[in-house]
Amino acid sequence: MISTEDVRHLATLSRLRFNEAEVAQYAKDLGSIFDYAKALNELPTDDIAPSAHAIPIENVFREDGVVPFDADTLLINAPEQEGHAFKVPQILAD
Amino acid sequence: MTQWEVVIGLEIHAQVTTQSKLFCSCSTQFGSTPNTQVCPVCTGMPGALPVLNRTVLDKAITLGLATHCTINEHNEFARKNYFYPDLPKGYQISQLDKPICSLGYLDVEVDGSTRRIGLTRIHMEEDAGKLVHQGSDNIKGATHSLVDLNRSSVPLVEIVSEPDIRSAKEAKAYMESMAQIVRWLGVCDGNLEEGSLRCDANISLRPKGTETLGTKTEVKNLNSFKSVERAILLEIERQTDILDEGGTIIQETRHYNEATNSTKSLRSKEEAHDYRYFPDPDLVPIAIDRAWVSRIEQTLPELPTARHKRYQTELGLSDYDAGKMTVDRETGDFFEATLSLGSSAKEIANWLNGDISAWLKEHSSTLAICKLTPAHLAEMLKELINGTISGKIAKQLVDDMLETGTHPSTLIKEKGLAQVNDTGAINQMIDIVLSENPKAVEDLKAGKVQTMGFIVGQVMRKSQGKANPDQVNKRLKELFSLS
Ligand SMILES: [Zn+2]
């Protein structure tokens, strides 16, 4: 069960705005996704160590070294830029 | 009136010295044009895959070992989710319940006694980008902001202390000690101006003799040793005033302003932090075996506090000199190298603390980048002890060696700086000086010993500092039967 309160909290954290009808709809939709995932609870996992990754793999590293990237291509997608910086709207208002 | 006990814990963020970032191969060079050291990984482009820089792991283990931490065999990275324009992915990759190091300590000298400050943990994480607010120096007045992601994903270690610190002075001493150690180990360059070392302080008060912790505030933006001490003093005073008047402390974050020496509450309309940490599926777990840890253990250098003690007990240096010779790795290694070439510890310390450090300061240089080598200093000290050169010439020589990197023997030969010990030459100079100063000769004949100093000075001047003053003195005493 996902409550409408949970949905409002998630919406705030995700910077999304929903009307009342949407809040109710998402509570229902997210609730059924949750319930679906709950099927996993039926599996016996008492003897299985908690894991942080889907496949049994560890220690993937790179050596410390610089490989330059054509950074200009990254700014192309910016909605707005100024100088060589990404330009963002006012962050905090009074 | 209630006596309050101060309880402080520090969180230090140290930038790990590497060529490239934590999860991508972009450069970590400071001060470049905005957004020139970025790639799809550190700008959070969809589908980009982070891969851990092994050097960061090695350096975090090094720091953990030097601070007596347990190195955890099993490590994971987690996502700390929040929105801010300096965080392109919408989460910071950090470590939560599986950090690299836990439960260590650092011994700190405060007012001549040793305080043991516990370390809760050291974990690895990535830095955020840099925001430059436009149209105002304050975020709320800004019209818009510019984002530079060169810093994004630069590797950090966060060093979290136990709430073991009991005064602003202790906090400063702890921060200074930690800075010395991370520099000494090469884990961090310790450059406070460039933000390589930053500190936040958690501060609370409780009635003396009680155990329960009071409500704490977190003071941020402590970017110098002086700031750490001053900001904590301010906050202790603020909390004391509130509690003395029967008020209660509000748990909050306060921002320290170095220019005005004041703190301000950072109340934002944000909801209470809800970071929804979870293991980062893009990064695989890390297993650190015993062999790995011992390999690093073997490369661990002698630490500054141990060396400081050794210089006092084995070399007979004063506390002051031993401290100066272990202030950083450069000085320590320079001192050791010169020592190994046979010079006396006290002589080396005197020169490094005196003329050499004055020259370096004046020329904004350091032992690492100047042209003086331990071999040249040792050679110069040998010539000085032998009497080949006078103390005055030695000072001149050191400046030349620092400036040009020329071997002292070459300088002595080329510039004719060798001390004149040749009795004939000295006597000849004395005769000339005496003939030029008949009044002084009269005085000397009359037994006025103080005039001797004047004549010695004149001879030294004539010889451009090269005459051996002992010999000049001896000869004058003979000539005028003075004792
Ligand atoms: Zn990158």
Side-chain angles (χ1 to χ4, degrees):
Chain A
M1 258 299 280
I2 297 281
S3 71
T4 51
E5 263 328 294
D6 290 334
V7 174
R8 285 198 188 90
H9 179 59
L10 280 174
T12 311
L13 289 170
S14 319
R15 304 295 189 272
L16 294 170
R17 241 175 247 145
F18 297 141
N19 61 34
E20 284 309 306
E22 285 168 325
V23 168
Q25 185 61 45
Y26 281 120
K28 205 175 138 228
D29 291 351
L30 286 172
S32 59
I33 292 170
F34 235 65
D35 289 342
Y36 179 68
K38 267 185 189 161
L40 291 170
N41 289 347
E42 289 165 23
L43 293 170
T45 54
D46 293 343
D47 298 331
I48 298 174
S51 60
H53 204 268
I55 44 173
I57 182 174
E58 56 191 23
N59 293 1
V60 176
F61 307 121
R62 29 172 278 276
E63 297 306 317
D64 183 28
V66 175
V67 181
F69 185 85
D70 178 10
D72 286 339
T73 58
L74 289 166
L75 279 156
I76 292 172
N77 289 324
E80 279 191 280
Q81 52 169 296
E82 192 174 300
H84 222 264
F86 297 92
K87 182 177 169 182
V88 297
Q90 186 184 48
I91 297 167
L92 277 186
D94 272 318
Chain B
M1 187 165 278
T2 316
Q3 289 283 307
W4 302 107
E5 180 179 45
V6 178
V7 178
I8 303 164
L10 292 189
E11 289 166 16
I12 296 176
H13 285 92
Q15 179 181 335
V16 181
T17 307
T18 54
Q19 301 291 314
S20 64
K21 293 183 178 180
L22 185 53
F23 297 118
C24 62
S25 302
C26 293
S27 170
T28 54
Q29 177 93 44
F30 178 84
S32 306
T33 307
N35 300 302
T36 51
Q37 291 159 193
V38 289
C39 75
V41 177
C42 56
T43 53
M45 295 294 161
L49 208 55
V51 185
L52 180 61
N53 183 339
R54 178 201 288 268
T55 299
V56 179
L57 202 52
D58 283 343
K59 293 199 174 189
I61 296 171
T62 305
L63 178 59
L65 289 172
T67 52
H68 316 277
C69 287
T70 303
I71 308 301
N72 294 313
E73 200 184 317
H74 184 79
N75 268 251
E76 285 169 18
F77 280 101
R79 293 185 179 180
K80 179 182 180 178
N81 299 279
Y82 65 95
F83 277 122
Y84 209 65
D86 62 6
L87 194 70
K89 294 191 292 293
Y91 57 85
Q92 177 196 29
I93 304 177
S94 181
Q95 292 193 288
L96 181 65
D97 49 9
K98 300 285 190 326
I100 180 80
C101 315
S102 33
L103 300 178
Y105 63 84
L106 185 66
D107 284 336
V108 179
E109 296 292 319
V110 193
D111 290 334
S113 62
T114 305
R115 286 274 294 123
R116 179 160 292 185
I117 309 298
L119 301 183
T120 316
R121 57 188 275 146
I122 300 174
H123 68 255
M124 300 175 280
E125 63 182 27
E126 57 178 348
D127 206 349
K130 184 183 160 200
L131 292 174
V132 183
H133 306 305
Q134 302 293 304
S136 168
D137 52 5
N138 140 349
I139 185 170
K140 288 185 178 171
T143 51
H144 62 283
S145 300
L146 300 181
V147 187
D148 172 10
L149 296 178
N150 283 351
R151 264 204 101 85
S152 168
S153 206
V154 157
L156 306 176
V157 279
E158 181 174 336
I159 309 156
V160 183
S161 90
E162 290 285 305
D164 287 348
I165 300 165
R166 292 288 171 269
S167 70
K169 197 173 184 182
E170 261 179 45
K172 179 169 175 257
Y174 166 79
M175 171 88 173
E176 283 172 339
S177 269
M178 194 56 88
Q180 184 191 28
I181 283 204
V182 295
R183 275 193 206 122
W184 191 273
L185 295 170
V187 165
C188 167
D189 66 17
N191 191 327
L192 290 120
E193 287 81 32
E194 293 178 3
S196 301
L197 210 56
R198 309 181 311 250
C199 178
D200 303 331
N202 289 299
I203 306 160
S204 64
L205 302 184
R206 64 183 171 198
K208 255 205 172 92
T210 61
E211 286 296 315
T212 320
L213 292 171
T215 306
K216 67 176 182 184
T217 57
E218 184 177 16
V219 181
K220 286 186 174 284
N221 197 38
L222 310 179
N223 300 329
S224 70
F225 301 126
K226 200 177 73 187
S227 289
V228 170
E229 188 171 22
R230 292 173 80 192
I232 291 175
L233 281 175
L234 272 180
E235 185 56 17
I236 292 172
E237 201 176 309
R238 194 187 70 86
Q239 291 191 15
T240 306
D241 287 349
I242 294 174
L243 293 172
D244 279 348
E245 285 165 20
T248 49
I249 306 297
I250 302 162
Q251 181 160 355
E252 62 182 352
T253 303
R254 301 184 69 85
H255 187 267
Y256 177 66
N257 184 328
E258 196 168 59
T260 57
N261 189 34
S262 59
T263 65
K264 198 173 74 183
S265 175
L266 283 183
R267 281 193 203 94
S268 72
K269 291 165 195 161
E270 285 279 310
E271 290 206 8
H273 291 310
D274 182 354
Y275 293 128
R276 293 148 292 139
Y277 279 97
F278 63 89
D280 191 324
D282 286 343
L283 287 153
V284 307
I286 305 157
I288 300 166
D289 59 17
R290 197 51 233 167
W292 187 341
V293 175
S294 29
R295 186 166 46 78
I296 293 177
E297 217 157 20
Q298 279 157 23
T299 66
L300 214 60
E302 183 186 22
L303 293 173
T305 31
R307 207 183 262 193
H308 184 131
K309 281 195 191 110
R310 183 165 65 82
Y311 285 174
Q312 284 181 269
T313 53
E314 286 180 19
L315 302 177
L317 289 186
S318 66
D319 182 40
Y320 174 84
D321 279 345
K324 285 281 190 180
M325 291 306 100
T326 51
V327 69
D328 53 38
R329 189 81 177 272
E330 276 175 14
T331 312
D333 289 352
F334 198 101
F335 175 82
E336 291 270 311
T338 316
L339 194 69
S340 72
L341 295 168
S343 304
S344 105
K346 182 65 193 156
E347 282 288 324
I348 306 168
N350 283 347
W351 284 90
L352 284 176
N353 286 341
D355 289 63
I356 295 172
S357 92
W359 188 94
L360 293 174
K361 203 173 210 175
E362 194 186 319
H363 294 79
S364 310
S365 184
T366 67
L367 276 178
I369 58 173
C370 79
K371 292 180 172 160
L372 182 70
T373 65
H376 289 182
L377 179 60
E379 183 66 25
M380 190 281 280
L381 291 174
K382 203 176 92 196
E383 302 289 20
L384 179 62
I385 305 289
N386 287 347
T388 312
I389 54 170
S390 65
K392 196 174 163 202
I393 293 294
K395 282 171 176 283
Q396 191 185 322
L397 213 54
V398 158
D399 279 5
D400 282 347
M401 284 152 63
L402 280 157
E403 192 103 43
T404 64
T406 314
H407 194 279
S409 312
T410 313
L411 286 169
I412 292 168
K413 219 175 288 164
E414 276 177 6
K415 300 196 171 184
L417 296 175
Q419 182 159 267
V420 177
N421 294 317
D422 169 357
T423 319
I426 288 178
N427 292 354
Q428 199 178 353
M429 276 188 277
I430 292 175
D431 290 346
I432 296 170
V433 168
L434 291 177
S435 68
E436 286 167 359
N437 296 280
K439 172 78 173 68
V441 172
E442 291 298 314
D443 290 345
L444 283 172
K445 278 181 179 162
K448 285 192 182 168
V449 184
Q450 56 270 43
T451 309
M452 231 175 74
F454 166 73
I455 296 294
V456 174
Q458 290 299 309
V459 174
M460 291 311 288
R461 204 160 147 193
K462 193 153 254 36
S463 72
Q464 290 166 313
K466 288 180 290 183
N468 183 333
D470 291 342
Q471 271 183 259
V472 178
N473 265 307
K474 196 172 150 233
R475 172 69 179 163
L476 285 172
K477 281 177 185 167
E478 280 167 15
L479 279 174
F480 297 96
S481 318
L482 299 163
S483 55

